Amino acid sequence: MRARLPGIVVRETRPVDFPQIIAVGHVVYPESPPWTPEQLTSHLRVFPEGQFVAIEESTGLILGMAASLVVCWDDYDLTTHWRDFTDNGMFTNHDPERGRTLYGAEIMVHAVAQRRGIGTKLYKARRQLVERLGLLRIRAGARLRGYSRYAHRFSAEEYVVKVVNGELRGPTLSFQLKHGFHVLGVVPGYLRHDPESLGYAAVIEWINEAIAKPEDYAGRDRRFDRRIDLEPTASSA
Ligand SMILES: CC(C)(COP(=O)(O)OP(=O)(O)OC[C@H]1O[C@@H](n2cnc3c(N)ncnc32)[C@H](O)[C@@H]1OP(=O)(O)O)[C@@H](O)C(=O)NCCC(=O)NCCS
């Protein structure tokens, strides 16, 4: 575990943050940097409460960001692509009247600051938002970074089962699982131009247990449940 970075605050995104957010995107996704000023402007127009930055207080440096919108899940399904969930990154499909699902469109932390607790703070802000708005859940596509190294040995589903059970560490999925997310399914073609994941993503969910009903957990694919391997006890040895 790396030391947590002190003095990091999370607040809602402001227009003045856009150049730094775009710069972080260039470092995290050098092959296809995400987010343009037009898209970031649109996010603030449709859903300012859903956009967060993590800032180092002493320097004013933006080290991470998270972007989300509210969707009505009945309008989509597990195989829907990222560009349709986000209306090509503009979030103009944000639907607070009908939607009960916070869709996590982005979370990224500057490469020099990863594994130091910033992603955890951004997720905490997201969960608090869901609770404050009385939403049922967060859903997102966790791109399977790291799958390309295993693609010659395992299918994407097999890879995810191994990450869920801790046999492999997935650079993004292990983080999401640690934050109480459950895998609903594995989809191809989720992100274009992503050589690390070969386009595969795990669709993941965190449920707001304070308001969830039993039917909200129904229909889960049991292959992605974490297997509990019981240690043999002294008496059974
Ligand atoms: C995924 C990401 C947002 C996590 O943010 P972060 O600030 O590095 O995460 P944290 O430091 O809060 O990590 C919390 C825990 O998640 C897990 N984790 C985080 N990064 C991990 C990695 N690369 N490999 C394995 N586990 C990881 C660890 O268990 C970690 O706890 P530990 O450091 O005590 O072991 C960040 O790594 C990132 O920006 N990745 C590139 C962009 C990306 O893939 N975003 C997701 C799009 S779907």
Side-chain angles (χ1 to χ4, degrees):
M1 184 205 288
R2 297 177 67 193
R4 296 298 179 238
L5 267 184
I8 301 291
V9 291
V10 172
R11 63 153 169 78
E12 285 180 18
T13 302
R14 301 170 188 155
V16 69
D17 304 327
F18 294 172
Q20 284 203 68
I21 291 174
I22 291 166
V24 172
H26 274 82
V27 174
V28 176
Y29 302 101
E31 299 90 6
S32 56
W35 310 121
T36 62
E38 293 71 29
Q39 289 169 322
L40 296 170
T41 303
S42 179
H43 303 173
L44 290 195
R45 188 167 42 75
V46 300
F47 188 35
E49 308 95 302
Q51 322 310 322
F52 297 111
V53 286
I55 302 183
E56 188 176 47
E57 234 179 345
S58 58
T59 59
L61 274 180
I62 289 179
L63 293 175
M65 69 83 92
S68 57
L69 64 152
V70 175
V71 298
C72 179
W73 194 264
D74 292 345
D75 297 344
Y76 308 88
D77 63 44
L78 287 190
T79 63
T80 303
H81 292 177
W82 182 91
R83 62 179 176 277
D84 296 319
F85 272 123
T86 64
D87 200 7
N88 285 310
M90 297 296 276
F91 297 5
T92 27
N93 53 329
H94 174 60
D95 188 354
E97 308 301 322
R98 297 164 60 238
R100 299 184 72 206
T101 301
L102 189 83
Y103 183 75
E106 180 68 275
I107 177 164
M108 62 178 176
V109 172
H110 195 294
V112 300
Q114 290 179 7
R115 303 295 301 266
R116 305 202 60 184
I118 295 175
T120 298
K121 282 183 186 250
L122 287 165
Y123 255 109
K124 186 173 172 197
R126 258 193 192 160
R127 285 196 301 269
Q128 287 173 338
L129 175 71
V130 164
E131 286 160 359
R132 187 157 51 83
L133 297 181
L135 298 173
L136 172 61
R137 59 197 172 197
I138 304 173
R139 285 185 172 178
R143 67 195 183 97
L144 297 181
R145 281 173 67 207
Y147 175 57
S148 61
R149 291 196 285 129
Y150 294 95
H152 64 293
R153 291 172 60 192
F154 310 122
S155 70
E157 281 88 357
E158 288 166 339
Y159 170 81
V160 167
V161 168
K162 287 184 184 298
V163 174
V164 166
N165 287 298
E167 292 166 46
L168 294 175
R169 277 172 78 81
T172 299
L173 187 56
S174 295
F175 165 77
Q176 321 275 22
L177 294 168
K178 188 164 178 174
H179 286 282
F181 278 83
H182 182 92
V183 174
L184 299 175
V186 176
V187 292
Y190 182 74
L191 276 184
R192 288 177 293 182
H193 317 303
D194 187 16
E196 291 179 305
S197 68
L198 305 179
Y200 285 97
V203 181
I204 55 170
E205 172 180 79
W206 175 86
I207 288 244
N208 182 359
E209 288 179 355
I211 59 167
K213 299 195 177 79
E215 56 266 33
D216 296 320
Y217 299 86
R220 285 186 168 185
D221 187 334
R222 304 266 72 123
R223 284 179 305 160
F224 302 119
D225 286 353
R226 191 184 291 259
R227 288 193 301 272
I228 300 172
D229 295 319
L230 296 173
E231 297 287 334
T233 60
S235 59
S236 66

